[in-house]
Amino acid sequence: MGDHKDLTNEFAVDKIKDLAENIKTCMFCTYNEYRLQSRPMSVQKIDDLGQLWFLSDRNSSHNAEISLNPQVELFFSEPHDKFLTLHGTASISYDRETIKELYDPIVKVWMPEGEDDPNLSVIKVVPEDGYYWNNKNGKMVAIAKMATAFVTGKTMDDGIEGTLKL
């Protein structure tokens, strides 16, 4: 079995930044009246408090769902190597300065008018808690250990996991 290490405060923020900044894209989950709704979204920024910032269309279903229920779940995954789940509260802003700061030209694929698109909004997620798992020695070592475990029948867990509390 791998190591277990729960993290709080600035240590939790450091782990969020380490994993989410490297993975970049998560399944961003909101709640509608009936169930959890998920879609891939890319993090534009993670600040020093561990808050995650996204750009979104004002008219999107996730903006509408956040307006009704601000509780969200974020699931980051890099197979065989890194996993991060965050539970938090989202808020929506239309602040043009923040949009300008977060804007990346790839966003134009979804927002044709670019950073001046009047439908561009910012979603800020304030994480409350979460869970992480990553391996100690990188993806290639993890894959080699998994292959060895498969062949030998012996467990070779190289992971570190724990809860995050902010």
Side-chain angles (χ1 to χ4, degrees), residues 94-114:
Y94 302 99
D95 180 69
R96 299 315 299 174
E97 288 299 314
T98 305
I99 289 169
K100 187 176 186 92
E101 174 193 342
L102 299 176
Y103 187 77
D104 184 309
I106 193 70
V107 173
K108 195 168 184 170
V109 171
W110 297 276
M111 305 301 293
E113 294 181 46

Side-chain angles (χ1 to χ4, degrees), residues 98-162:
T98 305
I99 289 169
K100 187 176 186 92
E101 174 193 342
L102 299 176
Y103 187 77
D104 184 309
I106 193 70
V107 173
K108 195 168 184 170
V109 171
W110 297 276
M111 305 301 293
E113 294 181 46
E115 72 181 76
D116 296 322
D117 195 311
N119 290 319
L120 199 51
S121 67
V122 174
I123 298 173
K124 176 177 80 171
V125 175
V126 178
E128 296 154 12
D129 57 39
Y131 173 83
Y132 74 96
W133 182 95
N134 61 292
N135 66 54
K136 298 176 191 173
N137 299 302
K139 185 180 265 185
M140 295 310 293
V141 172
I143 291 171
K145 285 189 172 194
M146 286 178 7
T148 302
F150 181 77
V151 170
T152 65
K154 295 180 182 177
T155 300
M156 302 186 104
D157 188 352
D158 191 31
I160 301 171
E161 66 178 312

Side-chain angles (χ1 to χ4, degrees), residues 26-160:
C26 67
M27 290 304 290
F28 190 108
C29 306
T30 54
Y31 294 90
N32 69 16
E33 183 178 350
Y34 306 104
R35 63 176 62 168
L36 187 70
Q37 299 295 313
S38 304
R39 77 279 298 154
M41 291 185 70
S42 295
V43 177
Q44 300 303 117
K45 174 184 170 182
I46 304 167
D47 66 23
D48 291 336
L49 299 174
Q51 300 171 133
L52 299 95
W53 300 76
F54 300 83
L55 291 175
S56 179
D57 186 328
R58 164 191 306 256
N59 301 310
S60 66
S61 60
H62 43 284
N63 277 38
E65 290 158 359
I66 289 167
S67 294
L68 296 174
N69 179 354
Q71 297 304 304
V72 297
E73 317 289 333
L74 307 179
F75 298 100
F76 293 84
S77 175
E78 187 173 288
H80 309 295
D81 195 31
K82 301 172 186 168
F83 302 89
L84 174 64
T85 301
L86 297 172
H87 313 281
T89 303
S91 60
I92 300 168
S93 166
Y94 302 99
D95 180 69
R96 299 315 299 174
E97 288 299 314
T98 305
I99 289 169
K100 187 176 186 92
E101 174 193 342
L102 299 176
Y103 187 77
D104 184 309
I106 193 70
V107 173
K108 195 168 184 170
V109 171
W110 297 276
M111 305 301 293
E113 294 181 46
E115 72 181 76
D116 296 322
D117 195 311
N119 290 319
L120 199 51
S121 67
V122 174
I123 298 173
K124 176 177 80 171
V125 175
V126 178
E128 296 154 12
D129 57 39
Y131 173 83
Y132 74 96
W133 182 95
N134 61 292
N135 66 54
K136 298 176 191 173
N137 299 302
K139 185 180 265 185
M140 295 310 293
V141 172
I143 291 171
K145 285 189 172 194
M146 286 178 7
T148 302
F150 181 77
V151 170
T152 65
K154 295 180 182 177
T155 300
M156 302 186 104
D157 188 352
D158 191 31
I160 301 171

